[in-house]
Amino acid sequence: MPGYYADAEAKRRFTGRMFDASAVDYDRVDRLLAFGSGTWYRRQALLRAGLAPGMRMLDVAVGTGLVALQAAEVVGARGGVVGIDPSAGMLAQSEAHGLNLVRGRAEALPFAARSFDFLCLGYALRHLVDLQTVFGEFHRVLRPGGRVLVLEITRPEGRVASAMLKAYMHGVLPALTRLVSSSKDTPALYRYYWDTIEACVPPGSILATLAGAGFARPARAVQLGIFSEFSASAA
């Protein structure tokens, strides 16, 4: 994406700055983006993918903890949720929820092999550079039979629906964000979001890369035309 960065390292620096700067506004803007339904949707997506009480789960790109909080309620006291994120700003927001947090990147997870029963990557696939390496790491840290869930926003197939989503994400949402955010960088983050949605790896390539990393039965379910749920089992 030459309008933002020239190479992989520049992308990491750019996204790091953006997420650190906008972390304080992230939960507030998320409620605008999802029209208040995000909490319910995340919980249902986790349940559909097989998260169950007593499981040990890793939330990659935990952000402010929106997915991890729902996961913690599902796994209960007998289970556990660990969150990892490269952004110090995002982790600072997550700490307020009492989550078990680690700073690190999806490309090099600092956990032993076969450490988790379930792994989720929530709305961060578009910000990663090397999916083959990332999915290989996911497979490594999952126990045999463990489940992976990748949540992502994908561009609708129809031209009208795609144009409407673009107008909302690229125009309306940044304008609303300016009214509720405390960081001047937050509106720019949400304009960038749409550009990453347009440039995202096609769903077929995501499924093929999951299979290439050793995952069995990779599948994609779509909710409301834009919310993709990629799931698979560790062989």
Side-chain angles (χ1 to χ4, degrees):
M1 296 179 64
Y4 293 99
Y5 35 72
D7 54 37
E9 185 54 38
K11 178 177 182 177
R12 291 190 184 97
R13 292 195 300 270
F14 174 85
T15 55
R17 289 193 303 270
M18 292 286 282
F19 282 113
D20 282 346
S22 62
V24 67
D25 298 317
Y26 196 86
D27 288 4
R28 189 182 308 113
V29 178
D30 177 81
R31 289 191 288 271
L32 287 175
L33 175 62
F35 301 104
S37 65
T39 297
W40 174 85
Y41 171 75
R42 291 181 183 92
R43 186 183 184 92
Q44 294 305 309
L46 290 166
L47 293 172
R48 281 192 291 269
L51 186 66
M55 284 186 170
R56 178 170 165 81
M57 176 183 142
L58 177 62
D59 185 1
V60 179
V62 63
T64 59
L66 296 175
V67 172
L69 286 171
Q70 297 306 307
E73 291 188 6
V74 173
V75 302
R78 292 185 296 108
V81 178
V82 178
I84 183 170
D85 201 288
S87 168
M90 287 291 182
L91 291 176
Q93 297 299 311
S94 295
E95 286 176 353
H97 302 304
L99 296 170
N100 184 8
L101 302 171
V102 176
R103 189 174 183 186
R105 294 190 174 278
E107 295 88 349
L109 297 173
F111 305 105
R114 302 185 176 189
S115 297
F116 298 95
D117 304 299
F118 193 101
L119 185 151
C120 183
L121 174 71
Y123 308 107
L125 181 141
R126 291 169 285 122
H127 308 307
L128 300 175
V129 175
D130 185 348
L131 292 189
Q132 184 174 358
T133 296
V134 168
F135 290 165
E137 280 290 273
F138 289 2
H139 191 276
R140 181 183 66 80
V141 301
L142 281 170
R143 298 185 178 114
R147 298 284 294 170
V148 63
L149 171 64
V150 177
L151 300 174
E152 194 50 88
I153 300 174
T154 49
R155 186 173 57 180
E157 295 182 1
R159 287 188 298 176
V160 173
S162 181
M164 291 177 64
L165 182 61
K166 180 176 182 177
Y168 178 69
M169 293 285 294
H170 214 259
V172 176
L173 186 60
L176 292 174
T177 300
R178 280 193 290 272
L179 300 177
V180 301
S181 61
S182 58
S183 170
K184 61 181 178 60
D185 295 303
T186 302
L189 174 63
Y190 286 90
R191 284 192 297 272
Y192 171 70
Y193 262 30
W194 172 257
D195 293 333
T196 61
I197 290 171
E198 286 196 309
C200 189
V201 176
S205 297
I206 295 169
L207 294 172
T209 307
L210 282 168
F215 284 100
R217 298 179 298 279
R220 176 193 180 215
V222 182
Q223 308 295 330
L224 301 176
I226 61 171
F227 297 107
S228 288
E229 301 170 8
F230 299 92
S231 60
S233 297

